[in-house]
Amino acid sequence: MIAITLPDGSVREYENGSSAFDVAMSISAGLARNVLSAQFNGQTVEIKDPLPGDGALVLYTWDQAEGKKAFWHSSAHVLAQAIQKIYPSARLTIGPAIENGFYYDVDFGEVSLQEKDFAEIETKMMEMARQKAVFKLRAISKEDALKYYSGNPYKTELIENLEDGTITFCDHSDFTDLCRGGHLPNTEFIKAVKVMNVAGAYWRGDEKNKQLTRVYGISFPKKSLLDEYLHLLEEAKKRDHRKLGKELDLFTFSQKVGQGLPLWLPKGAALRDRLEQFLKKAQKKAGYVPVITPHIGSKELYVTSGHYAKYGADSFQPIATPEAGEEYLLKPMNCPHHCEIYKSRPHSYKDLPIRYAEFGTVYRYEQSGELHGLTRVRGFTQDDAHIFCTADQVREEFNKVIDLVLYIFKTLDFKEFTAQVSLRDPEKPEKYIGGLENWEKAESSILEAVKEKGMPYVVEYGEAAFYGPKLDFMVRDALGRSWQLGTIQVDYNLPERFELEYKGADNEMHRPVMIHRAPFGSMERFVAVLLEHCAGNFPLWLTPEQIIILPISEKYLDYSKELLKLLDNYDIRALLDERNEKTGRKIRDAEMQKIPYMLIVGEKEEETQTVSVRKHGGEDLGSMPIDQFIQLVNEAVSAELIDN
RNA sequence: GCCGGUAUAGCUCAGUUGGCCAGAGCAGCUGAUUUGUAAUCAGCUGGUCGGGGGUUCGAAUCCCUCUACCGGCUCCA
């Protein structure tokens, strides 16, 4: 007998050779029907394989991430099988489960897989799934594994890197794949599949390697779940900032101006200005001083900073002048300029920390395929600042910046973000400048700060800037893509390159430490992600138009104009719909424009000197005197703008 | 930059196997209507069918090429 401990702590006895499925069966037939994967003593095991002895067992169904993972991992096998049947010469590589579905990277040789081929693959997959083929994991020797994949250089490479004795194959139906395990009991669980798209993907993620065809798919245990998922995707697309930005007249692009160069329309510009003013106020309070620097800088500036060596070839190329040998670069970041401001006069330790802030517009030649709405552009404005401080001050300054970022996120209602500590890739030291000692100091100060703050964080290696590690605040867009918004970076290297100094209490010269930080990240990206988060329903303090006055007919235009003037006197952003339209129409249009408050005025209101208030979405607040409405708006705005 | 897709009026989209002057709704303009909580009615204006080249008696439709956009990959100071 074996003793199995279940997640609730209870221990049950089973006969030797019992499987996770048998355990599920003993709990309930329903669970047995729904169990998709299992972990035994923390290791993923096959559901139908005998459990090796006593231990803790956790069973997973569709409702748990682990269950979905097994489901999609198994579906990837079926996808590979279908592809192999339709394209016998295709060479399979890897195919993992991902957050939403799975993919398989395939070398199709000369064949190019296209969208019109998806239906055939889906049909074949369903045909395979209906066979109710059992997934069976088996151990295989390295020699036999290599022999099996003798015609497949990709699998061969994978196997070469595995240790003999740890290699397993998974069989189902007539298909076999190199696999570590974690499968559904059989293929019949898969009731709906959809091939989502194809993309090029480099073998092992390296641009220098051959580009394979990545086939993305998703599958479900019920047809209705697939429909739901597709519906959800459609809904998410309605919140796409590119769509909303157009609908709400916030920004646009012009092929003639150039790709990746956003044009802010009046409403967008006003909104962005409001965000800037909000941050400027918070920064003033936190001891930042504004500086202003030009949009170009001499090439020498970037040679000194190291940016030229690192990015020069892939950047907007230098601007030549009539003077031979004179070259300027569009500034791709503000730090070198700020370093020169620091250097413009000598500093004492008593001056520090110095915090230079600038909404600095920078230009980066991003690869054309990378450009994406407002989230990835070639010209954008950073809410940048550089803090020059002593080594002793780094921790406190860093913590204060974290507080500022958190204050901004809280005010704008970004509840779901990930704090990511971005460190260097220890395997690729050539990607970074500066000595090991500086890097270690910088990295440990960031790790200490996040620990001190007690905030949850993830560590990503290889995500650091080339001059220093970062703490990045990642937020997802409507479609679940992750974007870096706020960033805080500790830098011991640029102060060295620019030979920055201050005189210490000991009358000796010392090198300051630099903290780069941008709470929004960039105005463009921040507005984009904010748009998607609020689906265009901006907070009242930020929204382009707060109020629209809807007169019932032209007879009430005079009264409406009085109201408009009054609201303007109170700095409330109001519009008047003077069109000769029915009220229903005016309300509809105001709803579409997502204006928070509609003031309906007719005979009744003019007589009693009131307004009828309708909120965006349909809530009727009834009639009230205009003074009372103004108070209501002001209170709503101050409730949103919590003090830091 | 790479793989796959898309490009028709200001916006959202039709346009059948290449074939009469390229269509609709919304927006805009003009007029009528004077309107009470999500679209009043009528008329009108508006298009180098993304750009260039080619095949053809004939191209929005087929081919080549460039550009931009969309989904990924790689990249992201």
Side-chain angles (χ1 to χ4, degrees), chain A residues 169-464:
Chain A
F169 274 12
C170 176
D171 305 312
H172 81 273
S173 158
D174 58 358
F175 182 77
T176 297
D177 204 350
L178 172 68
C179 182
R180 269 196 296 257
H183 300 93
L184 303 173
N186 67 65
T187 57
E188 207 204 12
F189 283 72
I190 302 166
K191 300 289 192 197
V193 300
K194 178 135 186 87
V195 176
M196 300 300 288
N197 50 50
V198 279
Y202 302 101
W203 169 238
R204 304 214 129 179
D206 191 332
E207 209 179 357
K208 293 180 196 79
N209 287 340
K210 185 174 164 85
Q211 191 167 49
L212 308 166
T213 303
R214 178 166 297 177
V215 185
Y216 284 90
I218 192 159
S219 58
F220 294 91
K222 270 189 198 166
K223 172 78 170 65
S224 61
L225 288 172
L226 171 61
D227 296 337
E228 250 171 61
Y229 175 73
L230 295 176
H231 179 69
L232 212 69
L233 277 186
E234 287 308 309
E235 288 299 306
K237 280 183 192 154
K238 290 183 187 161
R239 288 190 288 139
D240 190 309
H241 75 277
R242 293 164 295 192
K243 181 176 157 69
L244 288 169
K246 192 182 278 183
E247 285 170 6
L248 301 176
D249 292 320
L250 299 177
F251 58 88
T252 189
F253 289 89
S254 149
Q255 201 168 332
K256 201 167 261 177
V257 170
Q259 63 178 156
L261 300 171
L263 305 172
W264 289 80
L265 304 175
K267 286 184 194 178
L271 179 134
R272 175 173 148 169
D273 184 57
R274 236 164 271 130
L275 273 175
E276 287 185 9
Q277 295 308 326
F278 161 69
L279 181 56
K280 277 180 180 165
K281 196 175 155 196
Q283 286 182 165
K284 187 174 180 192
K285 216 166 166 177
Y288 290 79
V289 288
V291 294
I292 297 173
T293 65
H295 286 225
I296 63 173
S298 96
K299 185 176 143 186
E300 286 314 304
L301 184 64
Y302 303 102
V303 170
T304 302
S305 69
H307 289 93
Y308 188 77
K310 175 89 179 162
Y311 297 104
D314 303 318
S315 296
F316 284 112
Q317 289 306 289
I319 303 163
T321 72
E323 206 63 45
E326 194 178 39
E327 288 183 310
Y328 288 88
L329 262 73
L330 277 170
K331 78 173 167 188
M333 80 294 304
N334 305 298
C335 21
H337 285 83
H338 290 186
C339 285
E340 287 301 304
I341 291 180
Y342 179 89
K343 275 192 91 164
S344 66
R345 67 182 182 87
H347 293 283
S348 141
Y349 71 98
K350 293 177 186 167
D351 301 338
L352 305 183
I354 289 174
R355 309 180 189 90
Y356 294 141
E358 172 175 23
F359 285 83
T361 303
V362 298
Y363 300 89
R364 298 178 183 175
Y365 190 76
E366 305 290 2
Q367 295 182 58
S368 61
E370 265 313 318
L371 300 172
H372 184 100
L374 277 190
T375 48
R376 194 78 186 273
V377 288
R378 285 180 170 169
F380 58 97
T381 301
Q382 296 178 311
D383 54 324
D384 213 355
H386 295 94
I387 300 169
F388 300 88
C389 61
T390 69
D392 293 343
Q393 292 167 331
V394 171
R395 173 182 288 211
E396 189 190 343
E397 285 304 307
F398 198 92
N399 283 343
K400 277 157 82 176
V401 178
I402 292 180
D403 290 340
L404 183 63
V405 174
L406 293 179
Y407 162 64
I408 282 155
F409 276 35
K410 190 175 168 199
T411 305
L412 288 150
D413 212 25
F414 281 125
K415 291 192 192 78
E416 287 170 32
F417 60 85
T418 308
Q420 173 181 308
V421 177
S422 302
L423 306 180
R424 86 214 115 121
D425 181 348
E427 315 228 314
K428 295 181 181 162
E430 73 281 2
K431 284 176 72 176
Y432 310 97
I433 59 168
L436 199 62
E437 196 190 333
N438 280 348
W439 272 90
E440 277 166 3
K441 270 192 286 187
E443 290 184 345
S444 63
S445 58
I446 291 183
L447 285 164
E448 274 166 31
V450 288
K451 279 176 195 150
E452 192 178 320
K453 278 279 158 200
M455 56 197 295
Y457 65 95
V458 295
V459 175
E460 290 288 338
Y461 293 92
E463 293 292 315

Side-chain angles (χ1 to χ4, degrees), chain A residues 7-235:
Chain A
D8 65 358
S10 66
V11 181
R12 297 193 187 197
E13 298 261 308
Y14 294 90
E15 281 177 32
N16 287 334
S18 293
S19 67
F21 182 80
D22 296 326
V23 175
M25 198 65 196
S26 76
I27 295 168
S28 84
L31 178 60
R33 265 200 308 279
N34 289 313
V35 65
L36 300 180
S37 75
Q39 277 190 0
F40 185 67
N41 293 335
Q43 297 281 324
T44 299
V45 294
E46 298 295 293
I47 290 171
K48 295 276 182 117
D49 283 359
L51 296 168
D54 295 351
L57 183 73
V58 189
L59 301 168
Y60 297 107
T61 66
W62 178 257
D63 296 327
Q64 283 110 19
E66 282 297 324
K68 286 192 177 75
K69 189 178 161 195
F71 196 93
W72 286 328
H73 169 77
S74 305
S75 302
H77 279 285
V78 180
L79 170 64
Q81 181 188 18
I83 287 173
Q84 196 77 86
K85 283 202 183 299
I86 301 169
Y87 307 92
S89 64
R91 283 189 285 211
L92 302 173
T93 71
I94 55 161
I98 52 176
E99 199 172 330
N100 287 302
F102 52 91
Y103 67 76
Y104 216 108
D105 282 351
V106 183
D107 180 356
F108 280 96
E110 297 304 304
V111 180
S112 141
L113 189 72
Q114 293 170 353
E115 249 172 65
K116 59 180 166 55
D117 305 318
F118 292 1
E120 190 185 0
I121 296 175
E122 287 164 7
T123 308
K124 184 62 82 179
M125 282 180 75
M126 283 317 295
E127 192 186 306
M128 297 297 111
R130 276 191 292 268
Q131 288 179 350
K132 203 176 175 176
V134 174
F135 291 101
K136 195 76 194 156
L137 203 65
R138 66 176 152 101
I140 185 164
S141 72
K142 191 164 184 171
E143 191 187 341
D144 290 344
L146 286 169
K147 203 177 289 171
Y148 183 85
Y149 279 117
S150 59
N152 185 325
Y154 309 102
K155 293 286 192 191
T156 301
E157 188 180 325
L158 294 174
I159 295 165
E160 294 286 4
N161 289 319
L162 293 172
E163 206 169 306
D164 199 5
T166 66
I167 303 170
T168 48
F169 274 12
C170 176
D171 305 312
H172 81 273
S173 158
D174 58 358
F175 182 77
T176 297
D177 204 350
L178 172 68
C179 182
R180 269 196 296 257
H183 300 93
L184 303 173
N186 67 65
T187 57
E188 207 204 12
F189 283 72
I190 302 166
K191 300 289 192 197
V193 300
K194 178 135 186 87
V195 176
M196 300 300 288
N197 50 50
V198 279
Y202 302 101
W203 169 238
R204 304 214 129 179
D206 191 332
E207 209 179 357
K208 293 180 196 79
N209 287 340
K210 185 174 164 85
Q211 191 167 49
L212 308 166
T213 303
R214 178 166 297 177
V215 185
Y216 284 90
I218 192 159
S219 58
F220 294 91
K222 270 189 198 166
K223 172 78 170 65
S224 61
L225 288 172
L226 171 61
D227 296 337
E228 250 171 61
Y229 175 73
L230 295 176
H231 179 69
L232 212 69
L233 277 186
E234 287 308 309
E235 288 299 306

Side-chain angles (χ1 to χ4, degrees), chain A residues 511-530:
Chain A
R511 189 128 286 161
V513 184
M514 215 172 147
I515 297 174
H516 309 240
R517 44 106 280 176
F520 292 143
S522 81
M523 302 312 292
E524 284 73 9
R525 186 177 286 175
F526 193 83
V527 168
V529 176
L530 181 60

